[in-house]
Amino acid sequence: MKIVLVGHGMVGHKFLESLAESGLTDLEVTVLCEEPRAAYDRVHLSEFFSGKTAEQLSLVEPGFFERTGFRLTLGARAEKVDRRARTVTTADGSVLPYDKLVLATGSSPFVPPVPGRDRPHCFVYRTIEDLEAMKASGAASRSGVVVGGGLLGLECAKALCDLGLQTHVVEFAPRLMAVQVDEGGARVLRHKIEALGVQVHTSRNTVEITDGATARHRMVYADGSYLETDMIVFSAGIRPRDELARQCVLAIGPRGGVVIDSACRTSDPHVYAIGECASWNEQTFGLVAPGYEMARVAAAHIAGRADAAFVGADMSTKLKLMGVDVASIGDAHGRTAHSRSCVYVDERRQAYKKIVISDDGKQLLGAVLVGDAAEYGTLLQMALNGVPLPAEPEFLILPSSDGQPRAGIGVAALPDSAQICSCNNVSKGRICEAVGEGATSIGQIKACTKAGATCGGCVPLVTQVMKMEMGRRGMAVSDHVCEHFPHSRQALYHLVRVGNIRSFGELLQRHGSGLGCDICKPVAASIFASCWNEFVLKKDLAPLQDSNDYFLGNIQKDGTYSVVPRMAGGEVTPDGLIAVGQVAKKYGLYTKVTGGQRLDLFGARLEQLPAIWEELIAAGFESGHAYGKSLRTVKSCVGSTWCRYGVGDSVGLAVMLENRYKGLRAPHKIKFGVSGCTRECAEAQGKDVGIIATDKGWNLYVCGNGGMKPRHAELLASDLDEATLVKLVDRFLMFYVRTADRLQRTSTWRDNLEGGLDYLKDVVVNDSLGLAAELEAQMQQVVDTYQCEWKTAVTDPATRKRFVAAVNEAAPAEAAADAADAAEAEGWTAVCAVDDILPDAGVRAVVQQRPVAVFRIGADRYHAIDDVDPKSGASVLSRGLVGNLGERIVVASPLYKNHFDLRSGECIEAPEHSVRAHAVRVEGGRVLVALKALETLA
């Protein structure tokens, strides 16, 4: 079958991915892409201005077109479709025959017909080429205007802010985001955006753009007023690109767009249309999710699934616009007859929440959330699935102040049709079916349903559904860490502490089985560090560390690392800033100020890390532990030292606290905030530990966090002196370290504590369990044994030796000679000595210019596979954790956690991403590799 796809944007590429998964064979697929580059992520286009490259925005996995055999032509514009002959003619005169034609031409920006709109330094916001032109203009501009205050307009405004321009948003409607947000929500949104330095102008009708007196342009409004600016970006909506459909006389919708049926077929059954160019039931869709669903349906229908149908799309959205959470669900404006609304407004925190409910109070019809969208997931499931509302639905959006959980729904209340994983369109029912088929772990659920296998954001919900279904079927719902330990993390901590266990081998021998895995090894490593605080890269501890802890930096998608020196409390000297800048410049590192008030240096190659650390250490810095599940930062305002409102020395306290708790390993990362007054500039109430100065001392808040599910911290104790404050923080942190589950943030831990906040107060403040002295002593032991891990790594020759691009990059001459004499003639390459590979770990070698990951299992078993993560193309598998899953010896990719069988190279979760396995042998104390596949993968 010959298939021609016109357009290779996000939706077009999703069609190709769905087609590749359909099982169809004997396909000839030609893709015409008008742009000079393959599909990229337009949803996150503004990140181009904050340092993301076009390559990082790409949606195409390395090797996708080679693996599928699909042919992509860049810079190719389709000009004519002959439906009778079933051909597509391109701008260069090529004629392509087709059996099925798929139009994924997207949309074009709407530019109001204003005189002067085509002046130099006037742009649209659509492609990477547009952004590159904006970036060039921004370098020669002081101010910029975005015409349009909708979703894209506010995204564009962020881009102009990132360019350092004085930014304005001009909107014709009387409020921002008029389609998604009601008047109350728009008012809060405007206030928050203006607080960020963006000037908003609503109810403005631009009638002309002329020369400016103080800037390049003057935008003249209908009322005679004007605004001057150096740069203008039009982001006032989109229009379907249906010109090709019009040329070949396909049916067009009343608002434009190619008319399609539920199978995404146009008025010609051999032609399909998907995404923004399509019109279904007289509707066009400007969001990516409906386009993705159309792509799946079209691919399935072409593959012969007659039941595949597009039945519309929920237009609910949740975004972070310029750092402001905005969410809209269903009938956000309450237009349903006899509907009623419950509204909560917090002007102090600038939060607005509204739910629209049916007249009988039983159904949720819509919602608006601005400033805090924590309830979005619950409300969306209620609206989509018709879940009955509680007796007092207003408590769904009202804050909880009594330590009790908010009203909500459990997964048992969701229907089987409820979509749990939107990336891969997996329903609750499908997950329950998988449990019935024997999938009882998240890894197994991912492998057989793909739920949680893409972005991972739904994994907590997937886990809840899996455990609910296991319980319903009478299966044992285990809190075991993994298959190797029949214990929870809390139980393992107790066994290690009480049994004085200091090695993974001893822990396995006494309380576990097998080799371990990428789940239990980091858990054990964290517990050992919390209890004994030994150097994490000691020979027997190093193989337990995830890649971040093993190389003391955060691994990035290309296999490089970020380097974050500690700047306690956000305090740094001018000389320190200069030193960081010099290091970044010398090693070509991208530099960014983090939300935790320190500098992040991106792009360091593995072999560069020790030299970079040495220079930073010489300048007075130490490891910032940004790579570990540990204390990250203590954010502070300037406090009473500089601020006229400050009543406490927030900087001094922040520096002291960060230096006290630096290096503490925990079940998850920990963040602090210290504010010098109740104006709360350090956002302490959004941190795991938050401290706010009052005229009576310090107030201590705990268990808050930002991230995917923000949660306000709760007041644990008030009016504390510094000594008492430190004691309570010691107790709180060590109690959390002792009792939390694996990868459980303090907020989730608190929500799962029986007795809630009152219980936590009793334990930490009132010492109801009699643990206070023990917890304080254990914390003091961690404080007293602190060491800068960077410094220890660079000064220990055995550790530093591991930081090389390839283990055989500088092989001694005699080793090379041995290899040539004894092995090369047989196709074998000597890569390293046996002792160069730690037991149960891997190294990277280069064999005949091919990167190979060589692993040593135990004392004398060796395996080799290609050292390439198929999803990213990065050479990183050698840095993964090894272990066993059942009978299979595997390594987990440090990037996406897929598991690869070391004997065959098969990717367990996605066999299409498998790699080659190679032969290994040991001879004369050296490890030799031959590029000979051990078995042929299907």
Side-chain angles (χ1 to χ4, degrees):
M1 184 189 303
K2 291 183 172 66
I3 299 174
V4 174
L5 170 66
V6 180
H8 190 231
M10 296 181 72
V11 172
H13 191 65
K14 177 59 70 174
F15 169 78
L16 295 178
E17 290 179 331
S18 301
L19 196 63
E21 294 169 0
S22 68
L24 275 178
T25 57
D26 298 325
L27 291 177
E28 290 184 33
V29 180
T30 302
V31 185
L32 301 179
C33 179
E34 194 172 76
E35 294 189 45
R37 53 175 54 85
Y40 52 89
D41 187 354
R42 293 189 198 273
V43 173
H44 297 97
L45 201 57
S46 65
E47 294 179 15
F48 183 80
F49 291 105
S50 53
K52 223 169 191 181
T53 65
E55 290 72 26
Q56 290 171 325
L57 287 168
S58 174
L59 295 175
V60 183
E61 290 184 3
F64 174 81
F65 286 99
E66 293 79 2
R67 175 169 56 84
T68 60
F70 300 164
R71 185 164 64 91
L72 171 66
T73 306
L74 299 176
R77 189 175 79 254
E79 284 199 338
K80 179 184 176 182
V81 173
D82 185 332
R83 293 199 286 121
R84 180 169 296 179
R86 293 189 198 167
T87 60
V88 177
T89 303
T90 64
D92 66 2
S94 300
V95 179
L96 304 172
Y98 68 82
D99 297 306
K100 300 293 182 184
L101 171 64
V102 181
L103 302 178
T105 48
S107 61
S108 57
F110 170 68
V111 179
V114 177
R117 64 187 180 278
D118 53 356
R119 290 165 56 91
H121 299 278
C122 291
F123 306 96
V124 294
Y125 185 73
R126 186 64 179 168
T127 68
I128 287 180
E129 285 65 43
D130 295 331
L131 270 60
E132 289 173 338
M134 288 168 58
K135 202 169 186 178
S137 176
S141 302
R142 291 177 300 172
S143 58
V145 167
V146 178
V147 178
L151 291 175
L152 284 177
L154 295 182
E155 277 289 323
C156 183
K158 179 186 185 302
L160 297 191
C161 288
D162 288 343
L163 288 174
L165 303 182
Q166 181 184 347
T167 303
H168 301 259
V169 174
V170 174
E171 169 58 45
F172 179 77
R175 65 177 185 267
L176 297 173
M177 289 186 66
V179 174
Q180 293 87 4
V181 176
D182 65 356
E183 186 174 345
R187 185 166 54 249
V188 171
L189 177 61
R190 176 171 183 161
H191 182 91
K192 292 182 79 75
I193 286 178
E194 288 182 331
L196 296 171
V198 176
Q199 297 184 47
V200 177
H201 312 264
T202 53
S203 300
R204 288 287 186 269
N205 180 17
T206 305
V207 296
E208 185 182 16
I209 302 172
T210 63
D211 290 336
T214 60
R216 290 194 188 103
H217 309 295
R218 173 176 291 185
M219 300 176 62
V220 182
Y221 303 135
D223 62 3
S225 61
Y226 62 84
L227 173 65
E228 296 203 345
T229 181
D230 292 318
M231 177 177 166
I232 299 173
V233 184
F234 294 100
S235 187
I238 56 176
R239 299 291 184 269
R241 286 197 60 184
D242 54 16
E243 60 270 21
L244 206 57
R246 293 178 187 271
Q247 172 270 315
C248 66
V249 201
L250 291 171
I252 302 296
R255 298 182 181 180
V258 192
V259 172
I260 61 170
D261 62 12
S262 61
C264 297
R265 292 174 301 191
T266 67
S267 51
D268 181 335
H270 300 287
V271 182
Y272 293 74
I274 56 177
E276 293 171 337
C277 70
S279 173
W280 178 85
N281 274 10
E282 300 188 359
Q283 284 180 279
T284 55
F285 301 90
L287 299 177
V288 72
Y292 277 3
E293 182 60 19
M294 290 181 193
R296 294 186 189 104
V297 168
H301 199 268
I302 290 172
R305 276 187 47 200
D307 61 333
F310 179 75
V311 293
D314 173 57
M315 298 300 284
S316 301
T317 55
K318 177 177 179 288
L319 307 121
K320 188 177 284 289
L321 298 169
M322 301 188 71
V324 181
D325 283 323
V326 181
S328 173
I329 297 172
D331 182 13
H333 297 282
R335 291 176 177 143
T336 303
H338 308 299
S339 62
R340 296 180 293 166
S341 298
C342 300
V343 179
Y344 167 72
V345 182
D346 185 341
E347 293 187 347
R348 183 173 68 90
R349 295 184 182 276
Q350 285 297 299
Y352 176 90
K353 304 182 182 187
K354 181 180 86 170
I355 55 174
V356 180
I357 60 178
S358 60
D359 186 35
D360 60 7
K362 294 181 179 180
Q363 297 295 316
L364 180 69
L365 304 177
V368 176
L369 306 169
V370 178
D372 178 4
E375 299 86 359
Y376 177 78
T378 294
L379 297 177
L380 179 63
Q381 291 292 344
M382 283 185 155
L384 291 180
N385 299 295
V387 177
L389 288 170
E392 297 176 314
E394 61 271 19
F395 284 100
L396 290 168
I397 56 173
L398 290 176
S400 173
S401 59
D402 59 358
Q404 299 303 311
R406 286 179 175 169
I409 57 172
V411 291
L414 297 176
D416 284 349
S417 59
Q419 187 185 68
I420 303 299
C421 174
S422 58
C423 292
N424 296 302
N425 194 28
V426 184
S427 67
K428 172 190 168 184
R430 178 65 191 101
I431 296 171
C432 293
E433 287 174 9
V435 172
E437 294 163 2
T440 57
S441 71
I442 284 298
Q444 292 170 336
I445 293 290
K446 285 183 179 181
C448 64
T449 70
K450 301 296 185 185
T454 301
C455 79
C458 64
V459 167
L461 191 56
V462 172
T463 304
Q464 291 178 43
V465 173
M466 179 188 74
K467 289 186 175 181
M468 178 276 300
E469 182 64 12
M470 289 172 65
R472 191 183 71 79
R473 292 174 179 266
M475 302 165 124
V477 180
S478 171
D479 63 354
H480 298 171
V481 167
C482 66
E483 66 181 81
H484 304 101
F485 290 99
H487 305 284
S488 66
R489 183 200 170 276
Q490 183 177 351
L492 277 183
Y493 181 95
H494 176 77
L495 292 170
V496 168
R497 174 72 76 175
V498 174
N500 195 31
I501 298 173
R502 294 174 180 262
S503 74
F504 188 68
E506 183 183 0
L507 185 63
L508 266 178
Q509 182 180 13
R510 291 172 60 176
H511 303 290
S513 62
L515 298 175
C517 64
D518 57 305
I519 294 176
C520 62
K521 286 185 175 183
V523 168
S526 174
I527 292 173
F528 290 147
S530 299
C531 290
W532 319 126
N533 210 24
E534 296 180 302
F535 180 45
V536 297
L537 297 187
K538 279 180 56 181
K539 184 176 180 179
D540 59 338
L541 294 178
L544 308 180
Q545 312 299 335
D546 191 81
S547 178
N548 286 358
D549 285 289
Y550 193 100
F551 294 109
L552 308 180
N554 267 333
I555 193 170
Q556 305 301 314
K557 65 183 291 184
D558 62 353
T560 63
Y561 290 84
S562 64
V563 176
V564 185
R566 186 170 300 285
M567 296 178 179
E571 190 174 65
V572 63
T573 65
D575 286 341
L577 281 175
I578 292 169
V580 171
Q582 289 172 335
V583 168
K585 188 173 183 179
K586 177 177 178 179
Y587 293 94
L589 307 179
Y590 168 71
T591 308
K592 190 178 189 303
V593 179
T594 74
Q597 297 180 335
R598 53 187 183 177
L599 296 173
D600 204 339
L601 311 180
F602 288 87
R605 299 193 307 275
L606 187 152
E607 68 272 17
Q608 293 176 322
L609 290 173
I612 291 172
W613 297 338
E614 280 183 323
E615 294 191 31
L616 291 172
I617 291 167
F621 293 103
E622 58 186 5
S623 166
H625 285 92
Y627 47 83
K629 304 301 183 189
S630 58
L631 174 71
R632 294 290 178 86
T633 61
V634 181
K635 187 175 182 179
S636 73
C637 63
V638 295
S640 57
T641 307
W642 295 96
C643 180
R644 64 185 185 276
Y645 300 109
V647 295
D649 179 13
S650 55
V651 176
L653 181 62
V655 171
M656 184 274 287
L657 291 172
E658 186 160 346
N659 283 324
R660 178 170 180 80
Y661 301 115
K662 61 188 178 184
L664 171 69
R665 289 305 205 283
H668 213 301
K669 62 186 175 186
I670 302 170
K671 296 182 180 182
F672 280 42
V674 183
S675 288
C677 72
T678 55
R679 294 170 70 89
E680 249 283 69
C681 293
E683 302 166 334
Q685 292 178 80
K687 301 290 188 289
D688 299 281
V689 176
I691 299 157
I692 302 175
T694 71
D695 54 4
K696 297 180 182 178
W698 300 97
N699 288 353
L700 174 59
Y701 295 80
V702 294
C703 300
N705 71 263
M708 293 177 65
K709 294 184 177 180
R711 185 185 192 278
H712 284 298
E714 297 169 303
L715 182 64
L716 187 72
S718 57
D719 304 333
L720 304 173
D721 59 62
E722 190 171 300
T724 305
L725 171 72
V726 170
K727 284 187 176 183
L728 294 185
V729 175
D730 281 358
R731 298 175 192 175
F732 167 76
L733 289 176
M734 286 310 299
F735 188 57
Y736 162 63
V737 167
R738 288 172 65 146
T739 61
D741 286 336
R742 166 184 172 266
L743 298 181
Q744 190 175 49
R745 290 293 299 268
T746 60
S747 58
T748 311
W749 169 69
R750 148 67 184 87
D751 287 338
N752 285 277
L753 282 177
E754 292 187 17
L757 182 63
D758 289 340
Y759 171 71
L760 192 58
K761 284 182 177 179
D762 279 343
V763 173
V764 174
V765 181
N766 303 324
D767 193 19
S768 61
L769 300 180
L771 292 173
E774 183 179 335
L775 295 174
E776 290 170 27
Q778 289 172 356
M779 178 60 77
Q780 192 59 49
Q781 189 265 340
V782 172
V783 173
D784 292 342
T785 54
Y786 168 79
Q787 58 186 305
C788 173
E789 291 167 352
W790 287 354
K791 186 174 183 179
T792 305
V794 298
T795 54
D796 176 51
T799 301
R800 185 163 185 161
K801 182 181 177 182
R802 303 172 201 152
F803 290 80
V804 291
V807 71
N808 60 340
E809 67 176 355
E814 60 271 20
D818 290 344
D821 293 342
E824 295 290 355
E826 303 174 25
W828 293 87
T829 300
V831 296
C832 64
V834 166
D835 290 341
D836 288 335
I837 312 177
L838 294 177
D840 298 319
V843 296
R844 179 181 187 269
V846 177
V847 180
Q848 297 176 23
Q849 300 183 330
R850 186 187 191 99
V852 175
V854 185
F855 298 94
R856 179 182 180 186
I857 308 301
D860 56 4
R861 285 184 290 169
Y862 297 85
H863 300 278
I865 61 175
D866 286 342
D867 190 33
V868 177
D869 178 273
K871 289 190 70 173
S872 67
S875 182
V876 295
L877 292 187
S878 57
R879 308 177 208 170
L881 284 165
V882 298
N884 71 287
L885 295 181
E887 298 299 317
R888 307 178 84 165
I889 310 298
V890 299
V891 62
S893 165
L895 290 177
Y896 299 109
K897 307 306 179 185
N898 283 346
H899 296 87
F900 295 84
D901 189 315
L902 294 185
R903 296 187 182 101
S904 66
E906 180 183 1
C907 179
I908 294 173
E909 291 83 1
E912 68 272 16
H913 290 158
S914 298
V915 298
R916 289 182 62 192
H918 306 289
V920 188
R921 78 184 196 204
V922 174
E923 186 175 288
R926 299 193 64 76
V927 180
L928 293 85
V929 175
L931 299 184
K932 301 174 181 177
L934 296 180
E935 61 181 89
T936 302
L937 297 173

